[in-house]
Amino acid sequence: MHSLVPDRAALEVAHAKLQTAAHLDEMLKNPSLKIILEAVARRHMQRRACVDVKKLQANDNEK
């Protein structure tokens, strides 16, 4: 199973969501914190992919 590698933007959103005092780069150096950060970032990427911007712009809210 191939897992997605989160991009920098997703990592920054995940870092903000976790509300930690540690800086993003420090968290990426720690292996246990990196796993948590990447898991939250992957979840954010999945949610981000579900948003249809064209539908939002057209105000088409039907599902």
Side-chain angles (χ1 to χ4, degrees), residues 10-42:
L11 289 171
E12 289 176 0
V13 170
H15 180 258
K17 189 177 285 191
L18 290 173
Q19 298 179 351
T20 61
H23 293 288
L24 177 61
D25 294 326
E26 292 174 7
M27 289 183 73
L28 289 172
K29 291 178 185 175
N30 187 334
S32 59
L33 293 177
K34 182 178 178 180
I35 291 171
I36 295 168
L37 188 64
E38 286 182 346
V40 174
R42 271 189 229 101

